[in-house]
mmCIF file of all heavy atoms in Angstrom:
data_model
loop_
_atom_site.group_PDB
_atom_site.id
_atom_site.type_symbol
_atom_site.label_atom_id
_atom_site.label_comp_id
_atom_site.label_asym_id
_atom_site.label_seq_id
_atom_site.Cartn_x
_atom_site.Cartn_y
_atom_site.Cartn_z
ATOM 1 N N PRO A 55 -6.053 6.492 10.485
ATOM 2 C CA PRO A 55 -6.236 5.182 11.051
ATOM 3 C C PRO A 55 -5.530 4.950 12.396
ATOM 4 O O PRO A 55 -6.076 4.414 13.351
ATOM 5 C CB PRO A 55 -5.808 4.211 9.983
ATOM 6 C CG PRO A 55 -6.009 4.954 8.728
ATOM 7 C CD PRO A 55 -5.744 6.422 9.024
ATOM 8 N N LEU A 56 -4.256 5.358 12.493
ATOM 9 C CA LEU A 56 -3.503 5.088 13.674
ATOM 10 C C LEU A 56 -3.882 6.036 14.855
ATOM 11 O O LEU A 56 -3.870 5.621 16.005
ATOM 12 C CB LEU A 56 -1.973 5.229 13.390
ATOM 13 C CG LEU A 56 -1.373 4.181 12.468
ATOM 14 C CD1 LEU A 56 0.076 4.276 12.308
ATOM 15 C CD2 LEU A 56 -1.736 2.791 13.015
ATOM 16 N N VAL A 57 -4.200 7.302 14.465
ATOM 17 C CA VAL A 57 -4.659 8.171 15.565
ATOM 18 C C VAL A 57 -5.983 7.684 16.087
ATOM 19 O O VAL A 57 -6.255 7.665 17.289
ATOM 20 C CB VAL A 57 -4.775 9.632 15.002
ATOM 21 C CG1 VAL A 57 -5.512 10.498 16.077
ATOM 22 C CG2 VAL A 57 -3.419 10.128 14.685
ATOM 23 N N THR A 58 -6.869 7.209 15.197
ATOM 24 C CA THR A 58 -8.151 6.657 15.659
ATOM 25 C C THR A 58 -7.966 5.481 16.549
ATOM 26 O O THR A 58 -8.601 5.285 17.601
ATOM 27 C CB THR A 58 -9.015 6.328 14.462
ATOM 28 O OG1 THR A 58 -9.201 7.428 13.606
ATOM 29 C CG2 THR A 58 -10.367 5.807 14.829
ATOM 30 N N LEU A 59 -7.012 4.590 16.137
ATOM 31 C CA LEU A 59 -6.712 3.446 16.959
ATOM 32 C C LEU A 59 -6.177 3.790 18.321
ATOM 33 O O LEU A 59 -6.554 3.254 19.338
ATOM 34 C CB LEU A 59 -5.722 2.527 16.230
ATOM 35 C CG LEU A 59 -5.331 1.263 16.965
ATOM 36 C CD1 LEU A 59 -6.489 0.331 17.268
ATOM 37 C CD2 LEU A 59 -4.239 0.479 16.164
ATOM 38 N N TRP A 60 -5.276 4.748 18.397
ATOM 39 C CA TRP A 60 -4.682 5.238 19.617
ATOM 40 C C TRP A 60 -5.776 5.861 20.530
ATOM 41 O O TRP A 60 -5.774 5.504 21.736
ATOM 42 C CB TRP A 60 -3.624 6.196 19.347
ATOM 43 C CG TRP A 60 -3.034 6.876 20.611
ATOM 44 C CD1 TRP A 60 -2.250 6.265 21.540
ATOM 45 C CD2 TRP A 60 -3.302 8.174 21.065
ATOM 46 N NE1 TRP A 60 -2.013 7.142 22.581
ATOM 47 C CE2 TRP A 60 -2.574 8.302 22.290
ATOM 48 C CE3 TRP A 60 -4.008 9.250 20.567
ATOM 49 C CZ2 TRP A 60 -2.590 9.507 23.057
ATOM 50 C CZ3 TRP A 60 -4.037 10.444 21.324
ATOM 51 C CH2 TRP A 60 -3.336 10.567 22.575
ATOM 52 N N VAL A 61 -6.602 6.649 19.951
ATOM 53 C CA VAL A 61 -7.700 7.277 20.804
ATOM 54 C C VAL A 61 -8.625 6.140 21.284
ATOM 55 O O VAL A 61 -9.072 6.228 22.434
ATOM 56 C CB VAL A 61 -8.466 8.293 19.947
ATOM 57 C CG1 VAL A 61 -9.631 8.835 20.803
ATOM 58 C CG2 VAL A 61 -7.495 9.430 19.623
ATOM 59 N N PHE A 62 -8.945 5.166 20.450
ATOM 60 C CA PHE A 62 -9.864 4.114 20.799
ATOM 61 C C PHE A 62 -9.241 3.243 21.945
ATOM 62 O O PHE A 62 -9.918 2.854 22.894
ATOM 63 C CB PHE A 62 -10.190 3.245 19.622
ATOM 64 C CG PHE A 62 -11.542 2.551 19.658
ATOM 65 C CD1 PHE A 62 -12.016 1.938 18.547
ATOM 66 C CD2 PHE A 62 -12.252 2.522 20.762
ATOM 67 C CE1 PHE A 62 -13.242 1.362 18.547
ATOM 68 C CE2 PHE A 62 -13.560 1.896 20.786
ATOM 69 C CZ PHE A 62 -14.012 1.315 19.647
ATOM 70 N N LEU A 63 -7.935 2.915 21.813
ATOM 71 C CA LEU A 63 -7.236 2.206 22.901
ATOM 72 C C LEU A 63 -7.258 2.956 24.215
ATOM 73 O O LEU A 63 -7.518 2.400 25.296
ATOM 74 C CB LEU A 63 -5.811 1.923 22.469
ATOM 75 C CG LEU A 63 -5.506 0.805 21.519
ATOM 76 C CD1 LEU A 63 -4.079 0.845 21.011
ATOM 77 C CD2 LEU A 63 -5.818 -0.548 22.167
ATOM 78 N N GLY A 64 -6.999 4.317 24.162
ATOM 79 C CA GLY A 64 -7.077 5.071 25.395
ATOM 80 C C GLY A 64 -8.446 5.126 25.956
ATOM 81 O O GLY A 64 -8.662 5.085 27.178
ATOM 82 N N GLN A 65 -9.467 5.020 25.110
ATOM 83 C CA GLN A 65 -10.803 5.038 25.614
ATOM 84 C C GLN A 65 -11.187 3.772 26.348
ATOM 85 O O GLN A 65 -11.811 3.799 27.411
ATOM 86 C CB GLN A 65 -11.775 5.193 24.390
ATOM 87 C CG GLN A 65 -13.259 5.363 24.754
ATOM 88 C CD GLN A 65 -14.136 5.611 23.560
ATOM 89 O OE1 GLN A 65 -13.656 5.597 22.442
ATOM 90 N NE2 GLN A 65 -15.404 5.831 23.771
ATOM 91 N N VAL A 66 -10.747 2.580 25.854
ATOM 92 C CA VAL A 66 -11.102 1.333 26.537
ATOM 93 C C VAL A 66 -10.211 1.136 27.800
ATOM 94 O O VAL A 66 -10.637 0.429 28.740
ATOM 95 C CB VAL A 66 -11.016 0.145 25.594
ATOM 96 C CG1 VAL A 66 -11.870 0.296 24.380
ATOM 97 C CG2 VAL A 66 -9.539 -0.113 25.136
ATOM 98 N N LEU A 67 -9.026 1.742 27.833
ATOM 99 C CA LEU A 67 -8.180 1.655 28.977
ATOM 100 C C LEU A 67 -8.531 2.580 30.096
ATOM 101 O O LEU A 67 -8.185 2.309 31.267
ATOM 102 C CB LEU A 67 -6.735 1.830 28.607
ATOM 103 C CG LEU A 67 -5.984 0.702 27.865
ATOM 104 C CD1 LEU A 67 -4.656 1.130 27.402
ATOM 105 C CD2 LEU A 67 -5.900 -0.548 28.815
ATOM 106 N N SER A 68 -9.228 3.618 29.823
ATOM 107 C CA SER A 68 -9.571 4.638 30.791
ATOM 108 C C SER A 68 -10.821 4.190 31.587
ATOM 109 O O SER A 68 -11.706 3.455 31.124
ATOM 110 C CB SER A 68 -9.884 5.984 30.105
ATOM 111 O OG SER A 68 -10.352 6.946 31.002
ATOM 112 N N ALA A 69 -10.864 4.667 32.840
ATOM 113 C CA ALA A 69 -12.022 4.414 33.700
ATOM 114 C C ALA A 69 -13.257 5.097 33.063
ATOM 115 O O ALA A 69 -14.378 4.650 33.254
ATOM 116 C CB ALA A 69 -11.816 4.878 35.097
ATOM 117 N N ASP A 70 -13.049 6.265 32.394
ATOM 118 C CA ASP A 70 -14.168 6.967 31.732
ATOM 119 C C ASP A 70 -14.154 6.538 30.318
ATOM 120 O O ASP A 70 -13.260 6.901 29.501
ATOM 121 C CB ASP A 70 -13.918 8.493 31.865
ATOM 122 C CG ASP A 70 -15.092 9.278 31.307
ATOM 123 O OD1 ASP A 70 -15.942 8.716 30.607
ATOM 124 O OD2 ASP A 70 -15.171 10.480 31.592
ATOM 125 N N HIS A 71 -15.151 5.802 29.911
ATOM 126 C CA HIS A 71 -15.146 5.210 28.512
ATOM 127 C C HIS A 71 -15.882 6.142 27.505
ATOM 128 O O HIS A 71 -16.129 5.801 26.405
ATOM 129 C CB HIS A 71 -15.977 3.878 28.511
ATOM 130 C CG HIS A 71 -15.078 2.715 28.878
ATOM 131 N ND1 HIS A 71 -13.850 2.819 29.503
ATOM 132 C CD2 HIS A 71 -15.223 1.415 28.702
ATOM 133 C CE1 HIS A 71 -13.277 1.646 29.670
ATOM 134 N NE2 HIS A 71 -14.144 0.757 29.229
ATOM 135 N N SER A 72 -16.191 7.348 27.920
ATOM 136 C CA SER A 72 -16.979 8.246 27.023
ATOM 137 C C SER A 72 -16.106 8.764 25.826
ATOM 138 O O SER A 72 -14.870 8.873 25.988
ATOM 139 C CB SER A 72 -17.496 9.439 27.817
ATOM 140 O OG SER A 72 -16.441 10.275 28.242
ATOM 141 N N CYS A 73 -16.770 8.982 24.767
ATOM 142 C CA CYS A 73 -16.092 9.604 23.564
ATOM 143 C C CYS A 73 -15.630 10.976 23.861
ATOM 144 O O CYS A 73 -14.591 11.429 23.295
ATOM 145 C CB CYS A 73 -17.000 9.583 22.360
ATOM 146 S SG CYS A 73 -17.437 7.919 21.724
ATOM 147 N N ARG A 74 -16.351 11.719 24.692
ATOM 148 C CA ARG A 74 -15.970 13.084 25.047
ATOM 149 C C ARG A 74 -14.603 13.122 25.728
ATOM 150 O O ARG A 74 -13.736 13.922 25.391
ATOM 151 C CB ARG A 74 -17.015 13.758 25.949
ATOM 152 C CG ARG A 74 -16.661 15.113 26.332
ATOM 153 C CD ARG A 74 -17.746 15.629 27.341
ATOM 154 N NE ARG A 74 -19.094 15.565 26.846
ATOM 155 C CZ ARG A 74 -20.153 15.764 27.600
ATOM 156 N NH1 ARG A 74 -20.095 16.198 28.845
ATOM 157 N NH2 ARG A 74 -21.377 15.719 27.016
ATOM 158 N N ALA A 75 -14.420 12.227 26.683
ATOM 159 C CA ALA A 75 -13.088 12.132 27.341
ATOM 160 C C ALA A 75 -11.971 11.651 26.420
ATOM 161 O O ALA A 75 -10.871 12.160 26.511
ATOM 162 C CB ALA A 75 -13.185 11.159 28.540
ATOM 163 N N ALA A 76 -12.318 10.751 25.483
ATOM 164 C CA ALA A 76 -11.308 10.317 24.516
ATOM 165 C C ALA A 76 -10.854 11.460 23.623
ATOM 166 O O ALA A 76 -9.615 11.587 23.372
ATOM 167 C CB ALA A 76 -11.871 9.188 23.690
ATOM 168 N N VAL A 77 -11.780 12.273 23.134
ATOM 169 C CA VAL A 77 -11.419 13.404 22.322
ATOM 170 C C VAL A 77 -10.628 14.477 23.084
ATOM 171 O O VAL A 77 -9.692 15.063 22.560
ATOM 172 C CB VAL A 77 -12.669 13.988 21.645
ATOM 173 C CG1 VAL A 77 -12.290 15.284 20.902
ATOM 174 C CG2 VAL A 77 -13.271 13.032 20.682
ATOM 175 N N ALA A 78 -10.992 14.650 24.351
ATOM 176 C CA ALA A 78 -10.294 15.575 25.225
ATOM 177 C C ALA A 78 -8.832 15.157 25.385
ATOM 178 O O ALA A 78 -7.919 16.030 25.406
ATOM 179 C CB ALA A 78 -10.988 15.744 26.552
ATOM 180 N N ARG A 79 -8.592 13.873 25.503
ATOM 181 C CA ARG A 79 -7.177 13.421 25.631
ATOM 182 C C ARG A 79 -6.389 13.667 24.322
ATOM 183 O O ARG A 79 -5.198 13.976 24.396
ATOM 184 C CB ARG A 79 -7.160 11.940 25.979
ATOM 185 C CG ARG A 79 -7.486 11.605 27.458
ATOM 186 C CD ARG A 79 -7.249 10.125 27.751
ATOM 187 N NE ARG A 79 -8.205 9.245 27.134
ATOM 188 C CZ ARG A 79 -9.379 8.953 27.640
ATOM 189 N NH1 ARG A 79 -9.721 9.388 28.856
ATOM 190 N NH2 ARG A 79 -10.232 8.124 27.055
ATOM 191 N N LEU A 80 -7.084 13.554 23.179
ATOM 192 C CA LEU A 80 -6.387 13.883 21.968
ATOM 193 C C LEU A 80 -6.074 15.341 21.847
ATOM 194 O O LEU A 80 -4.973 15.726 21.424
ATOM 195 C CB LEU A 80 -7.286 13.440 20.754
ATOM 196 C CG LEU A 80 -6.696 13.822 19.372
ATOM 197 C CD1 LEU A 80 -5.410 13.117 19.104
ATOM 198 C CD2 LEU A 80 -7.730 13.480 18.312
ATOM 199 N N ILE A 81 -6.953 16.208 22.304
ATOM 200 C CA ILE A 81 -6.729 17.663 22.233
ATOM 201 C C ILE A 81 -5.510 17.968 23.152
ATOM 202 O O ILE A 81 -4.613 18.761 22.756
ATOM 203 C CB ILE A 81 -7.942 18.413 22.726
ATOM 204 C CG1 ILE A 81 -9.083 18.245 21.725
ATOM 205 C CG2 ILE A 81 -7.646 19.888 22.873
ATOM 206 C CD1 ILE A 81 -10.411 18.868 22.198
#
Side-chain angles (χ1 to χ4, degrees):
L56 291 184
V57 171
T58 304
L59 178 61
W60 174 72
V61 176
F62 209 169
L63 280 170
Q65 187 175 2
V66 302
L67 283 172
S68 174
D70 186 347
H71 276 15
S72 67
C73 293
R74 181 186 302 173
V77 173
R79 283 189 290 271
L80 175 61
I81 294 174

